């Protein structure tokens, strides 16, 4: 049995540079990952199929073709052909929330299958599978701080990002990525700066925040509350929303901010920390 973490991803900055003829957008984004997320378990001896558990399993119950199953099929088609297996997805992250839940699950499935079959995690075939599954899946497969270009699949790993305490807040509102991108104003406001990733993030922005705010005004409320917390280094929306995050100087400041946020509104709240590599999920996760 193989157990693989599927850490949540954060876009510390996300600059939209241009619309592409293929329907995608040219991006620059700073990917980072936290220590908590979903968990994928593969049982080679179990009955083939996907079982969903966890607090957000219901959000995927109506899907006819989950990304996890698509990842398994692609691995069998492009890497190692083997019979289908039993897969358990413990869904701990909100669905359609801008923190790469589905992409992280697909990437974790590829990593788990690679471990099972003795395939190197940096095997180019895995990244070919990841790119075919979605724009964020290659970054989630890499699983470390990186600068993403193109659709997000052209990755430059980065060092120097401290393991800062992080607080994630989601209001329980699903935001359509396609709808948010459709509302982007088409203005190229420039690239992400070079150098230290945190400094570049602080000097950057998320170009999808304005269109996401138009679709889900509660995001503005969350961002204002996070930005007002003592010790905040950075408060921003991740991806196309609606999850927002704040990075803090200390774990005590994060914990105090989480208590205030839980008291203010009944939102999903995750206390975690930035992590450089995919890790074992902690139990520092709570739904307010």
């Amino acid at each position: 049995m193989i157990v693989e973490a599927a850490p949540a991803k954060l876009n510390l900055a996300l600059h939209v540079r241009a619309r592409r003829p293929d329907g995608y957008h040219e991006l620059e984004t700073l990917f980072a990952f936290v220590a908590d997320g979903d968990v994928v378990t593969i049982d080679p001896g179990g009955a083939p199929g996907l079982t969903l558990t966890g607090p957000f399993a219901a959000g995927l119950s109506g899907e006819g073709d989950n990304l996890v199953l698509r990842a398994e099929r692609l691995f069998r088609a492009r890497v190692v052909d083997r019979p289908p297996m039993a897969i358990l997805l413990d869904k701990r992250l909100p669905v359609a929330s801008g923190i790469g839940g589905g992409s992280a699950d697909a990437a974790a499935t590829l990593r788990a299958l690679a471990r099972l079959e003795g395939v190197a995690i940096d095997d180019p075939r895995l990244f070919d599978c990841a790119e075919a599954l979605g724009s964020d899946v290659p970054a989630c497969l890499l699983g470390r701080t990186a600068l993403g270009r193109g659709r997000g699949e052209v990755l430059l790993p980065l060092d120097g990002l401290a393991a800062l305490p992080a607080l994630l807040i989601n209001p329980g509102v699903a935001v359509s990525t396609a709808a948010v991108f459709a509302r982007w104003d088409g203005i190229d406001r420039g690239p992400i700066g070079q150098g230290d990733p945190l400094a570049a993030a602080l000097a950057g922005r998320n170009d999808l925040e304005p269109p996401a705010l138009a679709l889900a005004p509660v995001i503005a409320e969350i961002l204002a509350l996070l930005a007002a917390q003592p010790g905040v280094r950075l408060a921003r929306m991740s991806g196309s929303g609606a999850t927002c995050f704040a990075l803090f100087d200390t774990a005590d400041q994060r914990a105090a901010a989480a208590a205030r946020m839980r008291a203010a509104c009944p939102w999903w709240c995750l206390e975690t920390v930035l992590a450089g590599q995919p890790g074992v999920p902690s139990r520092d996760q709570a739904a307010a």
Side-chain angles (χ1 to χ4, degrees), residues 16-209:
V16 185
R17 306 299 306 277
R19 290 188 177 94
R20 295 173 18 164
D22 61 6
Y24 291 99
H25 289 74
E26 198 72 21
L27 307 175
E28 289 189 10
T29 183
L30 280 170
F31 288 110
F33 294 85
V34 302
D36 294 80
D38 299 336
V39 181
V40 173
T41 302
I42 291 182
D43 181 2
L50 177 64
T51 301
L52 298 169
T53 63
F56 293 98
L60 299 178
S61 60
E63 283 193 334
D65 191 19
N66 187 280
L67 266 175
V68 165
L69 294 176
R70 290 171 57 193
E72 183 200 26
R73 289 199 302 271
L74 267 180
F75 183 91
R76 290 167 50 213
R78 299 187 181 185
V79 186
V80 177
D81 186 10
R82 59 159 298 133
M85 327 164 231
I87 303 178
L88 173 67
L89 172 59
D90 188 9
K91 191 64 186 170
R92 305 179 182 184
L93 300 176
V95 177
S97 59
I99 50 178
S103 296
D105 298 340
T109 302
L110 293 174
R111 285 196 302 269
L113 290 168
R115 287 171 54 198
L116 182 67
E117 298 295 343
V119 175
I121 297 299
D122 60 355
D123 190 305
R125 294 173 297 174
L126 292 181
F127 283 89
D128 288 343
C129 292
E131 187 174 345
L133 289 165
S135 298
D136 282 346
V137 183
C140 292
L141 179 62
L142 181 66
R144 58 168 293 176
T145 305
L147 175 65
R149 293 192 174 96
R151 293 186 290 122
E153 84 284 4
V154 182
L155 299 167
L156 174 65
L158 299 174
D159 295 319
L161 186 61
L164 292 173
L167 178 63
L168 278 58
I169 303 291
N170 183 279
V173 176
V175 179
S176 164
T177 298
V180 171
F181 271 103
R183 286 174 173 257
W184 176 58
D185 61 13
I187 299 173
D188 180 0
R189 293 175 172 84
I192 291 175
Q194 299 181 352
D196 176 75
L198 183 58
L202 289 167
R205 61 192 184 271
N206 184 343
D207 286 330
L208 298 182
E209 275 185 17

Side-chain angles (χ1 to χ4, degrees), residues 99 183 249 261 285:
I99 50 178
R183 286 174 173 257
D249 289 320
M261 296 293 285
Q285 185 167 358

